[in-house]
PDB file of all heavy atoms in Angstrom:
ATOM      1  N   VAL V 210      20.338  95.097 104.697  1.00 98.00           N
ATOM      2  CA  VAL V 210      20.210  94.029 105.694  1.00 98.00           C
ATOM      3  C   VAL V 210      19.186  92.974 105.274  1.00 98.00           C
ATOM      4  O   VAL V 210      19.374  91.779 105.542  1.00 98.00           O
ATOM      5  CB  VAL V 210      19.831  94.626 107.075  1.00 98.00           C
ATOM      6  CG1 VAL V 210      19.495  93.512 108.072  1.00 98.00           C
ATOM      7  CG2 VAL V 210      20.977  95.474 107.613  1.00 98.00           C
ATOM      8  N   LEU V 211      18.124  93.380 104.581  1.00 98.00           N
ATOM      9  CA  LEU V 211      17.050  92.435 104.266  1.00 98.00           C
ATOM     10  C   LEU V 211      16.800  92.244 102.769  1.00 98.00           C
ATOM     11  O   LEU V 211      16.729  91.100 102.302  1.00 98.00           O
ATOM     12  CB  LEU V 211      15.752  92.890 104.941  1.00 98.00           C
ATOM     13  CG  LEU V 211      15.727  92.880 106.475  1.00 98.00           C
ATOM     14  CD1 LEU V 211      14.420  93.449 106.984  1.00 98.00           C
ATOM     15  CD2 LEU V 211      15.954  91.481 107.013  1.00 98.00           C
ATOM     16  N   ILE V 212      16.683  93.325 102.030  1.00 98.00           N
ATOM     17  CA  ILE V 212      16.240  93.192 100.635  1.00 98.00           C
ATOM     18  C   ILE V 212      17.339  92.673  99.724  1.00 98.00           C
ATOM     19  O   ILE V 212      17.127  91.741  98.943  1.00 98.00           O
ATOM     20  CB  ILE V 212      15.699  94.547 100.130  1.00 98.00           C
ATOM     21  CG1 ILE V 212      14.495  94.974 100.978  1.00 98.00           C
ATOM     22  CG2 ILE V 212      15.301  94.443  98.657  1.00 98.00           C
ATOM     23  CD1 ILE V 212      13.988  96.368 100.680  1.00 98.00           C
ATOM     24  N   LEU V 213      18.534  93.266  99.801  1.00 97.00           N
ATOM     25  CA  LEU V 213      19.641  92.793  98.964  1.00 97.00           C
ATOM     26  C   LEU V 213      19.978  91.326  99.238  1.00 97.00           C
ATOM     27  O   LEU V 213      20.131  90.542  98.284  1.00 97.00           O
ATOM     28  CB  LEU V 213      20.865  93.676  99.169  1.00 97.00           C
ATOM     29  CG  LEU V 213      22.109  93.301  98.344  1.00 97.00           C
ATOM     30  CD1 LEU V 213      21.809  93.390  96.854  1.00 97.00           C
ATOM     31  CD2 LEU V 213      23.284  94.208  98.719  1.00 97.00           C
ATOM     32  N   PRO V 214      20.086  90.895 100.505  1.00 98.00           N
ATOM     33  CA  PRO V 214      20.343  89.467 100.752  1.00 98.00           C
ATOM     34  C   PRO V 214      19.252  88.562 100.189  1.00 98.00           C
ATOM     35  O   PRO V 214      19.554  87.439  99.755  1.00 98.00           O
ATOM     36  CB  PRO V 214      20.388  89.377 102.283  1.00 98.00           C
ATOM     37  CG  PRO V 214      20.798  90.738 102.720  1.00 98.00           C
ATOM     38  CD  PRO V 214      20.145  91.683 101.752  1.00 98.00           C
ATOM     39  N   LEU V 215      17.999  89.025 100.186  1.00 98.00           N
ATOM     40  CA  LEU V 215      16.907  88.229  99.618  1.00 98.00           C
ATOM     41  C   LEU V 215      17.146  87.979  98.132  1.00 98.00           C
ATOM     42  O   LEU V 215      17.029  86.836  97.648  1.00 98.00           O
ATOM     43  CB  LEU V 215      15.576  88.950  99.812  1.00 98.00           C
ATOM     44  CG  LEU V 215      14.360  88.319  99.122  1.00 98.00           C
ATOM     45  CD1 LEU V 215      13.957  87.035  99.822  1.00 98.00           C
ATOM     46  CD2 LEU V 215      13.195  89.296  99.093  1.00 98.00           C
ATOM     47  N   ILE V 216      17.491  89.036  97.405  1.00 97.00           N
ATOM     48  CA  ILE V 216      17.737  88.899  95.966  1.00 97.00           C
ATOM     49  C   ILE V 216      18.913  87.970  95.714  1.00 97.00           C
ATOM     50  O   ILE V 216      18.845  87.043  94.890  1.00 97.00           O
ATOM     51  CB  ILE V 216      17.988  90.285  95.341  1.00 97.00           C
ATOM     52  CG1 ILE V 216      16.748  91.163  95.490  1.00 97.00           C
ATOM     53  CG2 ILE V 216      18.380  90.140  93.878  1.00 97.00           C
ATOM     54  CD1 ILE V 216      16.989  92.623  95.135  1.00 97.00           C
ATOM     55  N   VAL V 217      20.012  88.191  96.444  1.00 97.00           N
ATOM     56  CA  VAL V 217      21.217  87.370  96.258  1.00 97.00           C
ATOM     57  C   VAL V 217      20.937  85.910  96.599  1.00 97.00           C
ATOM     58  O   VAL V 217      21.325  84.995  95.864  1.00 97.00           O
ATOM     59  CB  VAL V 217      22.378  87.918  97.110  1.00 97.00           C
ATOM     60  CG1 VAL V 217      23.569  86.963  97.068  1.00 97.00           C
ATOM     61  CG2 VAL V 217      22.789  89.304  96.627  1.00 97.00           C
ATOM     62  N   ALA V 218      20.254  85.679  97.717  1.00 97.00           N
ATOM     63  CA  ALA V 218      19.990  84.309  98.157  1.00 97.00           C
ATOM     64  C   ALA V 218      19.163  83.544  97.133  1.00 97.00           C
ATOM     65  O   ALA V 218      19.444  82.370  96.850  1.00 97.00           O
ATOM     66  CB  ALA V 218      19.276  84.315  99.505  1.00 97.00           C
ATOM     67  N   ARG V 219      18.159  84.180  96.576  1.00 97.00           N
ATOM     68  CA  ARG V 219      17.295  83.466  95.633  1.00 97.00           C
ATOM     69  C   ARG V 219      18.008  83.201  94.310  1.00 97.00           C
ATOM     70  O   ARG V 219      17.773  82.169  93.680  1.00 97.00           O
ATOM     71  CB  ARG V 219      15.983  84.231  95.460  1.00 97.00           C
ATOM     72  CG  ARG V 219      15.201  84.223  96.774  1.00 97.00           C
ATOM     73  CD  ARG V 219      13.763  84.647  96.673  1.00 97.00           C
ATOM     74  NE  ARG V 219      13.114  84.419  97.982  1.00 97.00           N
ATOM     75  CZ  ARG V 219      11.839  84.638  98.231  1.00 97.00           C
ATOM     76  NH1 ARG V 219      11.039  85.096  97.280  1.00 97.00           N
ATOM     77  NH2 ARG V 219      11.338  84.390  99.431  1.00 97.00           N
ATOM     78  N   ILE V 220      18.918  84.089  93.924  1.00 97.00           N
ATOM     79  CA  ILE V 220      19.735  83.813  92.739  1.00 97.00           C
ATOM     80  C   ILE V 220      20.666  82.636  93.014  1.00 97.00           C
ATOM     81  O   ILE V 220      20.769  81.707  92.210  1.00 97.00           O
ATOM     82  CB  ILE V 220      20.539  85.061  92.331  1.00 97.00           C
ATOM     83  CG1 ILE V 220      19.604  86.163  91.821  1.00 97.00           C
ATOM     84  CG2 ILE V 220      21.582  84.712  91.268  1.00 97.00           C
ATOM     85  CD1 ILE V 220      20.296  87.490  91.569  1.00 97.00           C
ATOM     86  N   VAL V 221      21.341  82.669  94.148  1.00 97.00           N
ATOM     87  CA  VAL V 221      22.299  81.609  94.488  1.00 97.00           C
ATOM     88  C   VAL V 221      21.595  80.267  94.646  1.00 97.00           C
ATOM     89  O   VAL V 221      22.104  79.224  94.205  1.00 97.00           O
ATOM     90  CB  VAL V 221      23.073  81.977  95.771  1.00 97.00           C
ATOM     91  CG1 VAL V 221      23.904  80.795  96.260  1.00 97.00           C
ATOM     92  CG2 VAL V 221      23.980  83.183  95.513  1.00 97.00           C
ATOM     93  N   MET V 222      20.420  80.255  95.260  1.00 97.00           N
ATOM     94  CA  MET V 222      19.694  78.992  95.435  1.00 97.00           C
ATOM     95  C   MET V 222      19.309  78.376  94.096  1.00 97.00           C
ATOM     96  O   MET V 222      19.418  77.159  93.902  1.00 97.00           O
ATOM     97  CB  MET V 222      18.457  79.210  96.299  1.00 97.00           C
ATOM     98  CG  MET V 222      18.750  79.400  97.767  1.00 97.00           C
ATOM     99  SD  MET V 222      17.261  79.335  98.810  1.00 97.00           S
ATOM    100  CE  MET V 222      16.357  80.756  98.221  1.00 97.00           C
ATOM    101  N   MET V 223      18.877  79.202  93.159  1.00 97.00           N
ATOM    102  CA  MET V 223      18.501  78.674  91.857  1.00 97.00           C
ATOM    103  C   MET V 223      19.721  78.238  91.063  1.00 97.00           C
ATOM    104  O   MET V 223      19.676  77.248  90.333  1.00 97.00           O
ATOM    105  CB  MET V 223      17.698  79.713  91.080  1.00 97.00           C
ATOM    106  CG  MET V 223      16.295  79.906  91.608  1.00 97.00           C
ATOM    107  SD  MET V 223      15.296  78.355  91.563  1.00 97.00           S
ATOM    108  CE  MET V 223      15.495  77.760  93.264  1.00 97.00           C
ATOM    109  N   LEU V 224      20.824  78.964  91.222  1.00 97.00           N
ATOM    110  CA  LEU V 224      22.074  78.538  90.602  1.00 97.00           C
ATOM    111  C   LEU V 224      22.485  77.176  91.152  1.00 97.00           C
ATOM    112  O   LEU V 224      22.910  76.290  90.396  1.00 97.00           O
ATOM    113  CB  LEU V 224      23.142  79.592  90.877  1.00 97.00           C
ATOM    114  CG  LEU V 224      24.521  79.450  90.251  1.00 97.00           C
ATOM    115  CD1 LEU V 224      25.152  80.836  90.098  1.00 97.00           C
ATOM    116  CD2 LEU V 224      25.437  78.575  91.092  1.00 97.00           C
ATOM    117  N   GLY V 225      22.355  77.003  92.464  1.00 97.00           N
ATOM    118  CA  GLY V 225      22.710  75.726  93.074  1.00 97.00           C
ATOM    119  C   GLY V 225      21.812  74.599  92.615  1.00 97.00           C
ATOM    120  O   GLY V 225      22.282  73.514  92.274  1.00 97.00           O
ATOM    121  N   ASN V 226      20.505  74.836  92.606  1.00 98.00           N
ATOM    122  CA  ASN V 226      19.572  73.786  92.196  1.00 98.00           C
ATOM    123  C   ASN V 226      19.779  73.414  90.726  1.00 98.00           C
ATOM    124  O   ASN V 226      19.678  72.241  90.343  1.00 98.00           O
ATOM    125  CB  ASN V 226      18.136  74.243  92.416  1.00 98.00           C
ATOM    126  CG  ASN V 226      17.153  73.097  92.389  1.00 98.00           C
ATOM    127  OD1 ASN V 226      17.195  72.209  93.233  1.00 98.00           O
ATOM    128  ND2 ASN V 226      16.266  73.085  91.394  1.00 98.00           N
TER     129      ASN V 226
END
Side-chain angles (χ1 to χ4, degrees):
V210 172
L211 295 176
I212 299 173
L213 180 61
L215 173 72
I216 297 169
V217 172
R219 294 194 173 183
I220 292 172
V221 171
M222 286 191 296
M223 287 300 97
L224 185 153
N226 196 64

